[in-house]
Amino acid sequence: MSYTIYLSGEIHSDWREQIKQGIIDKQLDIEVLSPITDHDTSDNVGSNILGAEENSFWKDHKAAKINALRSNSYISRSDIVVIRFGEKYKQWNAAFDAGIATGLGIPTIIMHAPELTHPLKEVDAAALAVTETPQQVVEILEYISQV
């Protein structure tokens, strides 16, 4: 069976590459979509395309809307959304993506460290799986890909 997955959330580690490599290693028929993970590119897209802003609120507002065009489109095309919450930074966009996926009825797999279980209890409760490692995500994808 073929799947399309969207990898949302934390951009400061190589978890996406680990999942992509696991998909390749296990020869799974899975298309992987993701947000722009270069922080500066993502933060400056609104100003770069639509013009500079003196007020940082409007700079961020433009970037957030353009980035949402990409993420909302990719989430709606996906069969599964994998969302990683990192330990160091607050990924509010990841929580937003989890809400969008859930609202569209798209299953989510949440990934985070055990110490984030309490603050993410509502997000975890909406997920079909909660994992701690990219390897666990790959194992789930391998399992559901069996025919």
Short mmCIF file of all heavy atoms in Angstrom, two decimals, residues 17 20 54 63 93 112 128 137:
data_model
loop_
_atom_site.label_atom_id
_atom_site.label_comp_id
_atom_site.label_asym_id
_atom_site.label_seq_id
_atom_site.Cartn_x
_atom_site.Cartn_y
_atom_site.Cartn_z
N GLU A 17 15.32 13.22 8.53
CA GLU A 17 16.25 12.43 7.73
C GLU A 17 16.28 10.98 8.21
O GLU A 17 16.39 10.05 7.40
CB GLU A 17 17.66 13.04 7.77
CG GLU A 17 17.79 14.34 6.99
CD GLU A 17 17.07 15.53 7.62
OE1 GLU A 17 16.96 15.58 8.87
OE2 GLU A 17 16.59 16.40 6.87
N LYS A 20 13.13 9.38 6.81
CA LYS A 20 13.29 9.19 5.36
C LYS A 20 14.24 8.03 5.06
O LYS A 20 13.96 7.21 4.18
CB LYS A 20 13.80 10.48 4.70
CG LYS A 20 12.78 11.59 4.67
CD LYS A 20 13.41 12.85 4.09
CE LYS A 20 12.53 14.05 4.28
NZ LYS A 20 13.18 15.28 3.80
N GLU A 54 8.28 47.15 8.67
CA GLU A 54 8.97 47.77 9.80
C GLU A 54 8.56 47.12 11.11
O GLU A 54 9.35 47.01 12.03
CB GLU A 54 8.67 49.27 9.83
CG GLU A 54 9.32 50.04 8.70
CD GLU A 54 9.09 51.53 8.80
OE1 GLU A 54 8.88 52.04 9.93
OE2 GLU A 54 9.12 52.17 7.75
N ALA A 63 4.72 35.87 6.90
CA ALA A 63 5.44 34.59 6.80
C ALA A 63 4.55 33.44 7.27
O ALA A 63 4.51 32.38 6.63
CB ALA A 63 6.73 34.64 7.60
N ASN A 93 3.62 25.85 16.00
CA ASN A 93 3.15 25.47 14.67
C ASN A 93 2.83 23.98 14.61
O ASN A 93 1.90 23.56 13.92
CB ASN A 93 4.15 25.85 13.58
CG ASN A 93 5.51 25.21 13.79
OD1 ASN A 93 5.97 25.04 14.92
ND2 ASN A 93 6.15 24.84 12.71
N HIS A 112 7.68 12.65 20.86
CA HIS A 112 8.31 13.56 21.82
C HIS A 112 8.95 12.76 22.94
O HIS A 112 8.68 11.56 23.12
CB HIS A 112 7.31 14.57 22.39
CG HIS A 112 6.14 13.97 23.12
ND1 HIS A 112 6.25 13.39 24.37
CD2 HIS A 112 4.84 13.86 22.77
CE1 HIS A 112 5.06 12.96 24.76
NE2 HIS A 112 4.19 13.22 23.80
N LEU A 128 -3.21 8.72 17.05
CA LEU A 128 -3.39 7.28 16.99
C LEU A 128 -2.16 6.53 17.48
O LEU A 128 -2.23 5.35 17.78
CB LEU A 128 -3.74 6.83 15.57
CG LEU A 128 -5.13 7.27 15.10
CD1 LEU A 128 -5.43 6.66 13.74
CD2 LEU A 128 -6.21 6.89 16.10
N VAL A 137 8.57 5.39 14.66
CA VAL A 137 7.70 5.87 13.58
C VAL A 137 7.87 4.98 12.35
O VAL A 137 6.89 4.53 11.74
CB VAL A 137 7.97 7.35 13.23
CG1 VAL A 137 7.18 7.78 11.99
CG2 VAL A 137 7.64 8.25 14.41
#
